[in-house]
Amino acid sequence: MRVFITGGTGAIGRHTVPALLAAGHTVTALARTPGKAAALSSQGAVPVTVSLFDREALTSAFAGHDAVVNLASAIPPMSRFMSVSAQRQNNRVRTEGSAAVVDAALAAGVGRVVQESVSMVYRDQGARWIDEDAPVDHYPMTRGNFAAESSAHRFGREGGGAGVVLRFGWFYGPGAAHSEEMYAQARHHVGMVLGHPDGYVSSIHLTDAAEAVVAALGAPAGTYNIVDDEPLTKREYAHTLARAAGTRLWLSVPGRAAYLFGHRLTSLTRSLRVGNARFRAATDWAPRYPSAREGWPATAAVLTA
């Protein structure tokens, strides 16, 4: 297939572009700067400089492509994650950018749109398993994700073809800035535990996330959870990370105090034991790393090489 990808130089995009090429697809990628264009070219993709918000330019860029994969985001670093102003650009990318991508894909006659979203949209379910039919929660940080999902589903409703939404778990792995910061903290004996330590966190290694994007090119239209086979409790996740870093935790922060930050951290404090059975049944995808127990040692090996 001829695939156009946005966000090709981001955390997941840097893994997705080579995964698409390895699967035999031809890849065109949006590039905002000469440096990013050079990085994409070095991987084997064809870079195109165009604005994510320019519908007419996107329509021209999408012409002749079979699928568009929208991985564009502007998630702020951990130090500014709770800042409303820092989240504003990410919300614009998710709302206006995703709408422009779908409008252009419809106009260009593209047959499929794959849209990135997150599994943190679900309500806290404690230790219960969560599938795609579980109730979701609407709070400020989910607005952009729901807007992006709505645009992808609109693509299918308006005759564009298949709209596929992938709700990813917490990204970790080489290239995920947040997880690299957590790894650095673990090497200093500090573990990040947000909320109740017995609550669950559903994560996904970037390598597995990228392979899921490739598999989504053949999946039926719909919404799918892309997470590890086995979510860990937040306590176990923190200790797994520490073992991968070759240390033991002396301090776990901020713990239940994170609840005091309300909706600004609720995407990370809730307990989400998310399952991936629907996507595994719909495709031949299976995670290389069934849980963070396997994925974090592999990540540490790369980060310390």
Side-chain angles (χ1 to χ4, degrees), residues 2-6 26-30 45-48 61 65:
R2 290 195 66 199
V3 181
F4 192 104
I5 182 171
T6 69
T26 301
V27 179
T28 307
L30 185 151
V46 177
V48 174
H65 288 83

Side-chain angles (χ1 to χ4, degrees), residues 12 27 31 39 95 100 112 117 130 140 147 153 165 172 180 193 195 214 219 226 236 241 258 264-265 269 288 297 300:
I12 181 175
V27 179
T95 54
R112 175 174 294 259
S117 187
I130 294 172
H153 295 314
V165 171
Y172 73 101
E180 290 186 3
V193 176
V214 176
I226 309 300
E236 186 175 7
L241 174 51
R264 287 177 294 172
L265 272 185
T269 56
R288 179 184 305 178

Side-chain angles (χ1 to χ4, degrees), residues 2-4 26 28 48 50 55-68 101 103-111:
R2 290 195 66 199
V3 181
F4 192 104
T26 301
T28 307
V48 174
V50 61
R55 285 169 169 78
E56 291 186 7
L58 286 173
T59 300
S60 297
F62 292 170
H65 288 83
D66 303 299
V68 171
V101 165
D103 288 343
L106 287 166
V110 173

Side-chain angles (χ1 to χ4, degrees), residues 12 70-73 94 114-118 145 148 166 168 171:
I12 181 175
N70 187 19
L71 304 178
S73 66
R94 296 288 201 199
V114 178
Q115 173 64 51
E116 174 189 5
S117 187
V118 296
N145 290 297
L166 303 180
F168 291 100
F171 286 142

Side-chain angles (χ1 to χ4, degrees), residues 240-257:
T240 294
L241 174 51
R243 285 193 295 272
T247 62
R248 297 183 65 181
L249 294 184
W250 294 347
L251 183 66
S252 295
V253 294
R256 300 183 198 187

